[in-house]
Amino acid sequence: MANYKVHDNPVRDEWLAKIGQLNTLKSGAAFLTDFRKKHTPPLRENFDLELDWGWIECKIEEKVAMLKHAELSDDQFLNNCVGGANAQDIADAVVARMDDCSDKYEAEKLHINFRTDYKPPMMPTNVFMDTDRLLGTKLMELRNIDYYAMPLEELRKERGVKIITIQ
């Protein structure tokens, strides 16, 4: 557990300063994607921001949304991802990959990576929400085939779970 107050702490101040330096959509989008891969569950690379990652992610998303509003036309805002690609084309491609998927762990990673890369404001909400629903539905169909039938230790081993204990 971190050794400081949850609200108004030096970690949040440090990240607010970094976020304040973002001045283009391209830099903001890259910053948000990098942050999500390193600090947000379930596949995060480290646990340094155990108390603050959700708050920091929200602040980065706010900044990216404002940059998106400032830099994109209305049509681009509603139909494109922040990188300029057509959101529906990306959604169709990831849904097709999920439809071809028959392994629950591969499907899980596909869904997690989709959320990491395209959760709004990276992709327009209208496209993201429907795509997320389709991916989640297929994932649950794959998981529901005896997912909890094996003992917990075997399930952990199969999934490659690393047990973290707090002392």
Side-chain angles (χ1 to χ4, degrees):
M1 199 63 128
N3 199 13
Y4 52 78
K5 295 179 182 179
V6 173
H7 305 289
D8 299 325
N9 67 56
V11 172
R12 290 182 180 191
D13 293 342
E14 177 186 335
W15 281 92
L16 281 177
K18 292 177 185 178
I19 295 165
Q21 294 175 2
L22 301 172
N23 56 12
T24 66
L25 181 56
K26 184 177 180 177
S27 67
F31 190 81
L32 177 56
T33 299
D34 183 61
F35 180 84
R36 285 178 175 167
K37 288 181 180 178
K38 288 181 180 172
H39 301 289
T40 63
L43 299 178
R44 61 184 150 182
E45 295 175 8
N46 68 59
F47 293 82
D48 294 344
L49 300 174
E50 61 183 306
L51 291 178
D52 299 306
W53 70 266
W55 186 89
I56 295 166
E57 181 185 25
C58 178
K59 293 300 179 186
I60 301 168
E61 288 171 350
E62 287 175 7
K63 182 69 173 196
V64 172
M66 295 305 294
L67 292 168
K68 185 177 174 182
H69 175 70
E71 292 185 29
L72 300 182
S73 70
D74 289 348
D75 185 58
Q76 291 171 318
F77 190 87
L78 294 173
N79 298 300
N80 293 356
C81 294
V82 294
N86 181 281
Q88 193 60 58
D89 291 346
I90 290 172
D92 292 344
V94 76
V95 168
R97 284 180 55 208
M98 183 64 93
D99 287 344
D100 292 340
C101 190
S102 59
D103 178 70
K104 60 188 165 196
Y105 302 120
E106 181 184 336
E108 187 175 71
K109 286 182 182 173
L110 183 65
H111 196 188
I112 290 167
N113 289 329
F114 172 74
R115 286 180 171 174
T116 300
D117 293 339
Y118 295 108
K119 187 174 96 173
M122 304 298 273
M123 177 180 271
T125 303
N126 57 324
V127 178
F128 177 84
M129 295 300 286
D130 192 46
T131 306
D132 191 60
R133 176 188 60 82
L134 294 170
L135 298 177
T137 299
K138 174 69 184 244
L139 175 58
M140 292 313 295
E141 289 170 359
L142 292 171
R143 275 184 177 167
N144 283 337
I145 303 169
D146 291 331
Y147 186 70
Y148 293 108
M150 70 176 69
L152 182 59
E153 290 305 316
E154 286 182 43
L155 180 62
R156 285 178 175 163
K157 184 178 179 182
E158 186 175 313
R159 292 182 48 88
V161 170
K162 184 189 309 182
I163 305 294
I164 299 172
T165 50
I166 299 174
Q167 299 187 26

